[in-house]
Amino acid sequence: MVPEEKPNGPGTGEERARLQAAGSIRKSRDLLADSQDSRLQSRRTRIHQQINKELRMRTGAENLYSLQLLKEELEGLDGSMDADQPESEGVTVPMIPLGLKETKQLDWATPLKELISGHFGEDGTSYEAEIRELEELRQQAVRTPSRSEAGLELLTAYYNQLCFLEARFVTPARSLGLLFHWYDSLTGVPAQQQALAFEKGSVLFNIGALHTQIGARQDRSCPGGTGRAVEAFQRAAGAFGLLRENFSHAPSPDMSPTSLSMLEQLMTAQAQECVFEGLSLQAPTDPYDCLAQLHLAQEAAQQVAAEYRLVHQTMAQPPVQDYVPFPWTTLVHVKAEYFRALAHYHAALALCDGPLVAEAELPAVEQVFLGLSASSAPRGPALPQEREESRKLGKAHLKRAILGQEEALRLHAVCRALRRVDLLQAVLAQALQRSLAKYSELDLEDDFFETTEAPDIQPKTHQRPKARAPSFSRVKVADIFHRLGPLSVFSAKNRWRLVGPIHVARGEGGFGFTLRGDSPVLIAAVVPGGQAAAAGLKEGDYIVSVNGQPCRWWKHAEVVAQLKGMGDEGVSLQVVTLLPSVEPPGLGARRPGLGALLRSQKECGRETPGPARASPRPLLGWSRKAKRGKTGRRLSPAPQP
């Protein structure tokens, strides 16, 4: 059979057209969807690229925003807490530790070998052991310091060694040629400079940061722990203050004057908080002593709140607010509210549980509430002299305490990072419950709507902690490159010419010159027409070798004894002659004075260098011209050998 042909009528063409139109619509929709997916994918790619870029910028920097150090501290406190431990306000409130600045590895060998060979005239490759020792010290100090006193000693030793390097190898016209890379501790953004002072400043910053971590890790549930924490935060504040005074051009936000001032304030406030914790651990002999409770409120809680309010104001102002972690700002604000509420709580205990204020104690109590001196006129209502009125005023202070504690809890809930710190929330909630329980105990009558207004408590303390500069002198170090000779002569700041060996015969009057000074010994005078003058020795030359034995570090008596032991055959000497220094235009070319060149070994030799001294100006020297050293001690001339 022949198959029947389908009709080719108008209906079939319309159906085909509809199918083609539907296909076109589907294709358009698919193209549109593909276009939208492509745009979304491109946007996702750009976001991921930006995230990766930010992560790369923060490589090597400790992520302070996660408050990892804070969580470590709280975990340690959780493990040491006893369920039956008596309540102690503020003991478990966390502190803010700083992360250390991170850095990249340095190649000290190339520039130091070139400088030793070019300027000091010695084979730079023979100092590979010293260079390796310097690199190992830096590696241990700035990359892997322990969060302990041992870590502080390492950082201090490296800092003191940097002072030796600066004195020996750096001049105003010449740097080491190294590029020092450091990451900002607050943002993770890298910064770099060729100035050795940037390395010194970063190490000093880490000394302060390490003090904050040591302070935050102390067990502040005992007086010894609070005392150690106070000292650690004082040292941290001193380090940041010293850095702020000596660093005028900051390459990174964390070392700017505004940031350092904020950090100094923060560490002082945390030290003040530890002072309060120590006072709260010392129970008064009489728990119902009104003045004792009021002084605790005034000298501790309210003073701590005042300190934290100042810190919060600084953190909330630009440019600090742009790079300070939000959890820090929130925690400081929480503490300001918490301790102000705690002050009112202590005042309420004094007014409600203590005896009525005696007339003799009234002026002292008025100073607590009204800030009055003995000669001041009253600025507010007189303090109650009846039990009921005293209890009402105590309830008013409890109301302010409850409001403040509720505000602290609200601020705590705003910050997602702080919400993960369960112990902080527990402390705030416990304080609120304690205040509510006390208020319920007092609420025996229907006086909720009374209009009694609690006055402010005047902040005052007799134990204000002061910033303490780091103790650099407690860590003694030896100059790694001491083989080059005493710093008084053999540094990049001086130029000299090596002369010799020169053979000097003994004449009837000796060798014909006099000596003075130690390390190195100086030819103080040359007898005209004598053996030394004939050999070419000159006044002002330094003896660096006697018969082939290096004597740059010899004492005056050692050189004299060696020369006296020589026979008629004479002695072979090597000396260096100082040349006029070549300074860049504007600094003026001047020959270094004899006194400056003969500074004692204690200043420039094997003892701890300048940072241990009281004057901080020559400590870092980023942009300020260091003062010239005073003339060293006079060296008495020795008789002619």
Side-chain angles (χ1 to χ4, degrees):
M1 296 180 57
V2 179
E4 181 180 2
E5 294 182 355
K6 294 183 178 180
N8 191 16
T12 304
E14 292 176 358
E15 183 179 355
R16 185 181 299 112
R18 285 196 301 271
L19 292 174
Q20 291 176 351
S24 299
I25 292 174
R26 283 197 299 270
K27 289 181 180 179
S28 299
R29 289 176 178 174
D30 291 342
L31 291 174
L32 180 61
D34 291 343
S35 177
Q36 291 175 343
D37 290 342
S38 178
R39 286 196 296 269
L40 288 174
Q41 184 61 33
S42 298
R43 185 177 179 184
R44 292 191 189 98
T45 302
R46 287 195 301 270
I47 293 175
H48 280 295
Q49 289 174 349
Q50 186 66 25
I51 292 174
N52 291 334
K53 179 181 178 181
E54 293 293 332
L55 290 175
R56 286 196 301 272
M57 290 176 66
R58 294 171 184 265
T59 298
E62 295 185 11
N63 188 3
L64 294 182
Y65 293 98
S66 65
L67 295 181
Q68 186 62 36
L69 293 171
L70 183 60
K71 290 164 67 177
E72 291 176 6
E73 175 212 352
L74 294 177
E75 289 171 3
L77 290 176
D78 280 335
S80 63
M81 286 185 65
D82 186 354
D84 297 329
Q85 180 179 342
E87 296 177 359
S88 182
E89 297 91 349
V91 171
T92 55
V93 176
M95 297 291 181
I96 297 179
L98 270 68
L100 303 186
K101 293 173 69 70
E102 292 289 336
T103 184
K104 291 183 177 180
Q105 193 168 356
L106 282 178
D107 177 21
W108 292 94
T110 302
L112 288 179
K113 287 180 179 179
E114 292 178 355
L115 187 57
I116 290 172
S117 300
H119 183 82
F120 292 86
E122 298 195 28
D123 183 10
T125 59
S126 65
Y127 284 83
E128 289 182 351
E130 285 87 345
I131 295 173
R132 187 163 54 250
E133 181 182 352
L134 175 63
E135 290 176 341
E136 291 175 356
L137 176 60
R138 185 181 192 269
Q139 175 73 16
Q140 296 172 0
V142 304
R143 297 186 67 85
T144 57
S146 61
R147 272 56 173 173
S148 63
E149 290 295 329
L152 285 173
E153 290 183 2
L154 263 178
L155 282 169
T156 304
Y158 179 58
Y159 183 88
N160 288 341
Q161 200 61 240
L162 288 175
C163 293
F164 279 120
L165 288 175
E166 186 176 47
R168 188 178 293 280
F169 295 119
V170 178
T171 68
R174 175 171 55 189
S175 67
L176 289 174
L178 280 169
L179 198 59
F180 299 99
H181 294 261
W182 286 87
Y183 292 90
D184 189 282
S185 70
L186 299 176
T187 65
V189 176
Q192 57 188 26
Q193 276 192 359
Q194 285 192 336
L196 184 64
F198 181 41
E199 178 87 351
K200 292 173 63 180
S202 299
V203 174
L204 180 56
F205 184 96
N206 276 1
I207 290 175
L210 195 54
H211 274 297
T212 71
Q213 296 182 13
I214 292 175
R217 289 169 178 263
Q218 297 301 318
D219 178 11
R220 304 191 312 275
S221 62
C222 60
T226 58
R228 290 188 295 271
V230 169
E231 182 179 1
F233 289 124
Q234 285 178 292
R235 294 287 186 187
F240 297 134
L242 192 61
L243 190 56
R244 175 180 52 80
E245 294 171 0
N246 289 273
F247 199 173
S248 57
H249 297 289
S252 58
D254 60 350
M255 295 173 68
S256 66
T258 52
S259 293
L260 293 172
S261 179
M262 178 272 295
L263 292 175
E264 190 177 0
Q265 288 180 343
L266 174 61
M267 298 310 146
T268 302
Q270 294 193 142
Q272 188 73 60
E273 180 181 351
C274 294
V275 168
F276 164 70
E277 292 174 342
L279 293 175
S280 65
L281 291 175
Q282 302 172 7
T285 55
D286 183 1
Y288 299 107
D289 187 344
C290 176
L291 279 180
Q293 290 287 352
L294 292 178
H295 287 164
L296 186 62
Q298 182 186 33
E299 296 182 1
Q302 184 69 10
Q303 181 64 38
V304 175
E307 295 281 354
Y308 275 119
R309 282 198 299 272
L310 292 177
V311 178
H312 182 258
Q313 291 173 5
T314 304
M315 286 183 171
Q317 297 295 323
V320 178
Q321 67 176 1
D322 298 330
Y323 45 78
V324 169
F326 180 67
W328 288 20
T329 307
T330 306
L331 181 57
V332 167
H333 198 180
V334 168
K335 287 192 175 188
E337 295 295 333
Y338 169 73
F339 283 104
R340 181 166 56 180
L342 201 56
H344 288 288
Y345 176 77
H346 280 290
L349 292 183
L351 293 170
C352 297
D353 295 340
L356 290 175
V357 179
E359 186 175 353
E361 297 177 345
L362 191 60
V365 175
E366 287 181 340
Q367 292 181 31
V368 174
F369 289 110
L370 307 178
L372 299 178
S373 62
S375 59
S376 300
R379 296 200 307 262
L383 291 177
Q385 294 298 300
E386 297 181 2
R387 169 58 60 188
E388 188 60 29
E389 294 297 324
S390 179
R391 290 170 65 87
K392 288 180 180 179
L393 183 57
K395 285 190 64 175
H397 280 285
L398 272 178
K399 290 178 185 178
R400 293 194 62 174
I402 292 169
L403 291 175
Q405 289 156 355
E406 289 177 342
E407 177 66 11
L409 277 170
R410 186 192 67 80
L411 293 171
H412 174 271
V414 168
C415 181
R416 181 166 53 187
L418 288 185
R419 286 201 302 268
R420 295 196 296 267
V421 185
D422 297 332
L423 186 57
L424 175 60
Q425 183 178 9
V427 171
L428 298 176
Q430 185 184 68
L432 177 59
Q433 290 301 320
R434 186 171 53 243
S435 297
L436 289 173
K438 186 65 178 177
Y439 190 89
S440 299
E441 178 185 333
L442 295 174
D443 195 16
L444 302 178
E445 300 177 2
D446 188 13
D447 57 353
F448 184 80
F449 297 102
E450 290 188 3
T451 58
T452 303
E453 184 68 23
D456 290 332
I457 300 173
Q458 302 302 314
K460 180 182 178 181
T461 179
H462 297 294
Q463 302 185 41
R464 181 186 295 274
K466 296 182 179 179
R468 300 174 59 185
S471 179
F472 297 104
S473 60
R474 66 186 179 88
V475 179
K476 304 293 183 181
V477 297
D479 180 10
I480 290 179
F481 295 92
H482 72 278
R483 280 203 297 136
L484 289 171
L487 276 167
S488 57
V489 175
F490 299 99
S491 71
K493 299 178 179 64
N494 299 326
R495 297 173 60 245
W496 61 86
R497 180 178 67 251
L498 184 64
V499 180
I502 299 175
H503 184 77
V504 184
R506 183 188 292 275
E508 294 182 359
F511 290 106
F513 60 85
T514 58
L515 305 176
R516 69 177 178 181
D518 296 329
S519 306
V521 175
L522 173 74
I523 297 178
V526 176
V527 178
Q531 300 292 330
L537 294 179
K538 295 181 176 58
E539 178 184 345
D541 287 347
Y542 291 94
I543 299 176
V544 295
S545 174
V546 177
N547 284 343
Q549 300 182 58
C551 64
R552 297 184 181 188
W553 287 102
W554 286 13
K555 301 294 185 182
H556 175 273
E558 295 177 275
V559 176
V560 170
Q562 189 76 13
L563 293 177
K564 285 184 176 180
M566 298 299 169
D568 296 336
E569 69 277 7
V571 64
S572 177
L573 300 177
Q574 259 191 327
V575 299
V576 294
T577 300
L578 287 178
L579 304 175
S581 61
V582 179
E583 298 184 1
L587 295 178
R590 71 177 70 169
R591 184 179 180 125
L594 180 63
L597 293 175
L598 294 180
R599 279 176 283 179
S600 65
Q601 179 178 343
K602 184 176 181 180
E603 294 182 14
C604 300
R606 295 173 177 266
E607 297 295 327
T608 303
R613 299 190 180 347
S615 175
R617 182 169 291 274
L619 183 67
L620 299 173
W622 273 268
S623 61
R624 298 184 176 97
K625 186 176 179 182
K627 294 181 179 179
R628 292 184 176 270
K630 295 183 180 180
T631 303
R633 59 182 176 88
R634 291 186 59 86
L635 302 172
S636 58
Q640 294 187 20

